[in-house]
Amino acid sequence: MSGYHAFHDPVIEGVLYSSEEIADIVVRLGKQITEDYRGRDLALITVLRGGYVFLADLCRAIDLPLSLDFMAISAYGAGGGAVRITKDLDDQIEGRDVLVVEDIIDTGLTLNYLLSVLRQRKPASLAVCTLFDKDIRRLADLPIEYVGARIPDRFVVGYGMDLGGRYRNLPFLATLHDEVMG
Ligand code: 5GP
């Protein structure tokens, strides 16, 4: 694990996916997307902040012309998927082939809301690529075209995902000790 000292952080329980395993998944997804979107007008969209690490790697594994754009949302109220857009896209997506790139999908409520907003803007197509999927907890019925790996119902950090703003820079996906999660 190339001497990454956060690995010895007492909060971290273990490695669920190593950086090498994640890299293999990203290459596989990139190849699939390259085949599926050849000749189309691909716009990758991700949700800040968690998705940016995956997006950075995924976009370089796609061998096609494409554009990148970002949204930021914040949840309000407790649960229920009520979210507010705090940063909207810079570009128009009407008529384009939009692929939403997510780090992880849990209940799917956030994504469900996001997709309903994007659909109103009349993209030519709208699809989802998530690196990790906790599908056991899914509440919203979502079509997810590209899934990197299904993971168990554990809170994870690393590779863009945080706990209280930290651990996003871990190059691997880690689980936390149960005591940390209360
Ligand atoms: P959902 O609306 O699908 O329940 O939640 C989606 C968002 O919650 C993800 O984009 C991510 O920001 C956050 N999330 C869900 N599960 C985890 C997790 O295990 N770890 C971290 N750090 N964030 C998570």
Side-chain angles (χ1 to χ4, degrees):
M1 204 45 68
S2 65
Y4 194 86
H5 291 100
F7 184 57
H8 303 294
D9 188 310
V11 165
I12 304 291
E13 179 195 60
V15 177
L16 198 55
Y17 278 85
S18 69
S19 57
E20 293 81 6
E21 288 169 320
I22 293 173
D24 287 347
I25 293 171
V26 170
V27 167
R28 171 172 61 80
L29 293 172
K31 279 192 180 136
Q32 248 178 291
I33 292 166
T34 301
E35 283 172 24
D36 295 351
Y37 283 86
R38 193 162 282 127
R40 295 165 71 187
D41 182 19
L42 179 58
L44 298 182
I45 288 177
T46 201
V47 183
L48 298 171
R49 296 177 224 170
Y52 80 100
V53 175
F54 178 41
L55 181 76
D57 285 341
L58 182 69
C59 73
R60 287 175 291 175
I62 300 173
D63 188 14
L64 293 174
L66 55 80
S67 67
L68 303 175
D69 206 348
F70 300 88
M71 284 180 103
I73 55 180
S74 73
Y76 63 86
V83 290
R84 186 166 55 88
I85 296 174
T86 56
K87 185 222 167 289
D88 207 336
L89 299 173
D90 289 324
D91 303 333
Q92 305 289 325
I93 57 167
E94 186 171 344
R96 304 199 60 199
D97 292 296
V98 172
L99 182 60
V100 177
V101 175
E102 276 274 16
D103 49 356
I104 189 165
I105 302 173
D106 186 12
T107 64
L109 293 174
T110 313
L111 186 62
N112 199 32
Y113 169 79
L114 197 68
L115 291 177
S116 69
V117 169
L118 295 177
R119 222 172 269 126
Q120 288 167 15
R121 300 181 187 181
K122 303 191 172 24
S125 67
L126 183 58
V128 178
C129 173
T130 188
L131 179 56
F132 296 112
D133 188 7
K134 287 200 253 186
D135 59 352
I136 193 113
R137 298 211 346 127
R138 190 66 31 81
L139 297 177
D141 183 22
L142 296 172
I144 301 169
E145 286 76 4
Y146 306 94
V147 176
R150 297 173 62 193
I151 62 167
D153 182 19
R154 294 286 306 271
F155 191 83
V156 290
V157 295
Y159 201 73
M161 284 163 266
D162 75 312
L163 173 67
R166 295 188 60 202
Y167 303 110
R168 291 191 198 276
N169 63 322
L170 293 180
F172 47 84
L173 188 75
T175 52
L176 307 176
H177 288 292
D178 286 340
E179 309 86 80
V180 182
M181 299 313 300

